[in-house]
Amino acid sequence: MQTLDTFDWIAVGLYFLVLAGIAIWVIRKKQENTADYFLAGRNVGWFVVGASIFASNIGSEHVVGLAGAGAGNKLPMLIYEIQAWVVLILGWVFLPFYARSGVFTMPEFLEKRFDARSRWVLSVFSIIAYVLTKISVTIYAGGVVVSALLGIDFWTGALSTVILTGLYTVLGGMRAVVYTETLQAVMLVVGAAALTFIGLDEVGGWASMTETVTPEYLNMWRSASDPEFPWPSLLITSTIVGIWYWCTDQYIVQRALTARNIKEGRRGTIFGALLKLLPVFLFLIPGIIALTLKMRGELHWDSPDQAFPVLMSNLLPSGLRGLVAAGLLAALMSSLASVFNSCSTLFTVDIYKKLRPNTPEKQLVRTGQIATVFIVIIGIIWIPIMANISGVLYEYLQKVQSYIAPPITAVFLLGIFYKRINAQGAFITLMVGFIVGALRIVLELMKDSLDPDGFLFLLGDINFLTFAAWFFLFCVVLITVVSLMTSIPSKEKIFNLTFQTISPEEKANNKNSYNWVDVAVSILIIIIVAGVMLFFNGKSGFF
């Protein structure tokens, strides 16, 4: 791998100067209350909302992991990256309910729809899940990227990015996060697009690349009996995980809640969905290009997760290489900033404020800043543990998320679509769901020591996609049965929070918040998603 030269360092330096300028501009603005600090004063336009949603999602673990999936014969994982249609569900289905309820967090919404028990369970679980998945994986991937690009050791790279990102997140709050993410989204798209075009030119175009790896390699749809990626389970589970991640997870939804009104919020999600179509072309294809060059003996890497940084350092010219390096650093920092801020919001609003309801607004902001510092420290402690992760990073992430998503998706979906679902059903489903998910992870780790003919071995050995699909069905049945066997929720608890109880005024307000352009762009996005799904079928073309 080539290290960065003078022109590259100038490009990286310029990026950090602009980033520092934005951060300082935001930090100088007064942040006197929680709406300012955690939701940027609820005054953000659709472009910044959409760019922030995209930048939050595309962290360095996506860049490293998705390219690794392309280079490591894991193409079915592509389905998780073409879920732009699920981002539309956030704007068209869920966001009006969140906006109407005036909440800061997703656990807070569960308290309004159900009761305080569900809020406690989801907030505590979410913070633990963020530390174990998002923070740890992002820091690990960032350490790999930074050390590979800048020619420094893993520890220095990981520590410096965590501390720098933590600094502007603590001082600037959500406003610093969304505005720096807008710059980072632009940097990432420009840099990765340059690498894709130059890479395709290097391998002699799409047809030449397909000829080397064979059309069968570019098939995301494997048979229903495939041991790794059976297509029915893949389609169902990716949708369940998608709805959890895009429509109910604090990490993403918080960006939409910063919008100045429902119209700007929905347009932000539509713009975010449009940007979400890009990763297939910006990250997966470079992974396939890297594999093509390796098969031809023109490139070498040891692990598929190294494909993107190795390809970048060898193909791009001086200056542009620094720009893409800055884009990758941007991806890392935007993801870290998002998760730091989301954890701090969950802790302050759902735990601290709940325990001390009379705390002044300024004190809550200070608590949020201290919480962010603690989360940064926990992230640093996690670095040596995550340094031991091996295999394709992206697949690891999707596995863990497949065990977390089913109970949360079931509770939120049925909560707004079926007014008979009550607090008892939601609480029991969340508790049982989290216990079953944790049990599955433990059994998967220790399955070699279990009886091959026993039920526990079957539970730990069944394909993770198939397990998640059946797990979701179990959660849907559980929440429905428990709710029907217990009391009907009061009218106050469900008013304007389910589709059957929306008032005529709110229906009229919602109808006035979009026009034909919003509908047309949404339909176009769905058509493009269907086109990508048809194209990657293992044949030369669509059919």
Side-chain angles (χ1 to χ4, degrees):
M1 276 183 60
Q2 296 179 34
T3 53
L4 304 187
D5 61 20
T6 307
F7 288 110
D8 295 327
W9 282 110
I10 289 170
V12 173
L14 285 172
Y15 157 70
F16 275 107
L17 274 175
V18 176
L19 186 71
I22 293 173
I24 290 164
W25 170 70
V26 169
I27 290 164
R28 288 179 67 183
K29 288 177 173 286
K30 286 187 177 179
Q31 315 231 22
E32 294 183 349
N33 58 44
T34 46
D36 273 346
Y37 188 76
F38 296 118
L39 292 178
R42 293 190 194 263
N43 193 33
V44 175
W46 65 266
F47 183 88
V48 174
V49 170
S52 177
I53 286 173
F54 175 70
S56 299
N57 170 239
I58 301 299
S60 50
E61 79 279 8
H62 272 75
V63 179
V64 173
L66 191 55
N73 200 20
K74 304 278 185 185
L75 208 77
M77 303 305 290
L78 158 67
I79 196 163
Y80 286 95
E81 283 312 306
I82 48 174
Q83 286 189 326
W85 66 278
V86 183
V87 189
L88 295 175
I89 294 175
L90 169 60
W92 289 102
V93 178
F94 285 88
L95 190 59
F97 289 101
Y98 298 153
R100 269 195 293 273
S101 63
V103 295
F104 278 67
T105 70
M106 296 300 94
E108 190 182 358
F109 178 79
L110 284 192
E111 181 176 28
K112 291 210 169 189
R113 173 62 180 88
F114 301 115
D115 64 9
R117 293 176 303 167
S118 296
R119 179 177 184 170
W120 274 106
V121 173
L122 186 61
S123 52
V124 171
F125 180 79
S126 296
I127 292 171
I128 295 168
Y130 285 156
V131 172
L132 295 181
T133 58
K134 287 188 172 72
I135 292 178
S136 54
V137 172
T138 304
I139 290 171
Y140 168 75
V144 171
V145 168
V146 173
S147 59
L149 293 180
L150 307 184
I152 56 180
D153 68 278
F154 174 87
W155 275 93
T156 308
L159 278 170
S160 54
T161 43
V162 170
I163 292 166
L164 186 64
T165 309
L167 191 65
Y168 74 73
T169 310
V170 169
L171 296 174
M174 188 60 174
R175 191 178 274 114
V177 173
V178 293
Y179 283 104
T180 53
E181 279 178 342
T182 305
L183 165 70
Q184 289 158 345
V186 172
M187 290 288 297
L188 193 56
V189 169
V190 170
L195 182 59
T196 303
F197 285 118
I198 291 170
L200 280 172
D201 183 59
E202 183 72 20
V203 295
W206 184 268
S208 175
M209 181 180 76
T210 307
E211 195 178 313
T212 301
V213 299
T214 72
E216 292 76 31
Y217 186 86
L218 301 177
N219 184 14
M220 63 179 280
W221 303 107
R222 300 192 183 168
S223 72
S225 58
D226 184 83
E228 275 195 300
F229 303 108
W231 77 263
S233 301
L234 179 69
L235 192 60
I236 294 165
T237 298
S238 64
T239 304
I240 294 163
V241 172
I243 292 172
W244 161 71
Y245 180 85
W246 291 106
C247 304
T248 74
D249 194 21
Q250 183 68 24
Y251 181 70
I252 293 296
V253 178
Q254 193 169 338
R255 273 105 206 97
L257 295 178
T258 63
R260 62 176 63 100
N261 53 45
I262 185 68
K263 183 177 185 178
E264 294 291 312
R266 183 183 290 111
R267 285 197 174 159
T269 63
I270 294 169
F271 180 48
L274 207 55
L275 292 174
K276 185 62 189 159
L277 296 168
L278 296 174
V280 179
F281 309 101
L282 300 182
F283 310 124
L284 184 96
I285 290 172
I288 302 170
I289 291 167
L291 177 67
T292 306
L293 292 172
K294 187 180 183 183
M295 290 170 74
R296 293 176 183 175
E298 297 172 28
L299 202 66
H300 176 74
W301 34 265
D302 299 316
S303 156
D305 286 339
Q306 295 174 346
F308 194 94
V310 169
L311 184 74
M312 192 209 81
S313 68
N314 282 278
L315 283 197
L316 295 181
S318 176
L320 190 56
R321 190 165 53 233
L323 190 70
V324 179
L328 283 174
L329 293 171
L332 164 66
M333 293 172 73
S334 64
S335 286
L336 274 180
S338 300
V339 75
F340 287 159
N341 190 258
S342 295
C343 278
S344 142
T345 307
L346 285 169
F347 175 79
T348 308
V349 176
D350 288 315
I351 295 175
Y352 189 85
K353 191 178 179 183
K354 197 83 180 141
L355 295 171
R356 299 188 175 186
N358 298 320
T359 306
E361 287 283 298
K362 280 192 174 182
Q363 180 62 36
L364 286 174
V365 171
R366 178 69 59 207
T367 304
Q369 291 175 323
I370 295 166
T372 308
V373 171
F374 271 101
I375 291 154
V376 171
I377 293 166
I378 292 167
I380 293 168
I381 293 167
W382 260 101
I383 293 172
I385 299 164
M386 293 311 300
N388 295 322
I389 283 185
S390 59
V392 176
L393 189 66
Y394 195 69
E395 187 180 359
Y396 162 84
L397 193 62
Q398 299 310 337
K399 272 191 175 184
V400 176
Q401 291 180 343
S402 297
Y403 309 144
I404 293 170
I408 302 174
T409 302
V411 167
F412 273 87
L413 266 181
L414 270 72
I416 66 167
F417 277 103
Y418 188 18
K419 67 179 182 180
R420 183 63 180 79
I421 299 299
N422 65 15
Q424 195 67 15
F427 174 68
I428 288 176
T429 303
L430 288 173
M431 287 300 294
V432 172
F434 295 151
I435 291 166
V436 172
L439 179 66
R440 160 69 194 212
I441 293 171
V442 171
L443 291 175
E444 191 174 331
L445 291 171
M446 58 181 288
K447 67 181 178 184
D448 293 337
S449 61
L450 298 171
D451 174 15
D453 298 321
F455 176 71
L456 290 179
F457 179 84
L458 175 68
L459 198 62
D461 189 54
I462 186 173
N463 177 279
F464 79 97
L465 296 166
T466 305
F467 171 83
W470 285 110
F471 184 22
F472 176 70
L473 180 62
F474 166 77
C475 292
V476 168
V477 172
L478 181 64
I479 191 172
T480 306
V481 170
V482 173
S483 295
L484 292 175
M485 288 174 66
T486 48
S487 60
I488 297 171
S490 65
K491 286 185 179 179
E492 300 79 48
K493 213 62 181 149
I494 57 176
F495 181 63
N496 272 335
L497 295 179
T498 72
F499 273 103
Q500 297 103 317
T501 58
I502 303 173
S503 67
E505 294 81 16
E506 287 298 340
K507 284 181 181 177
N509 288 341
N510 191 48
K511 201 168 184 182
N512 292 331
S513 68
Y514 62 87
N515 58 28
W516 69 269
V517 177
D518 300 315
V519 176
V521 175
S522 298
I523 293 169
L524 175 65
I525 289 166
I526 293 168
I527 291 168
I528 295 171
V529 169
V532 173
M533 286 184 169
L534 284 171
F535 183 78
F536 285 96
N537 62 7
K539 298 170 186 171
S540 301
F542 284 95
F543 303 105

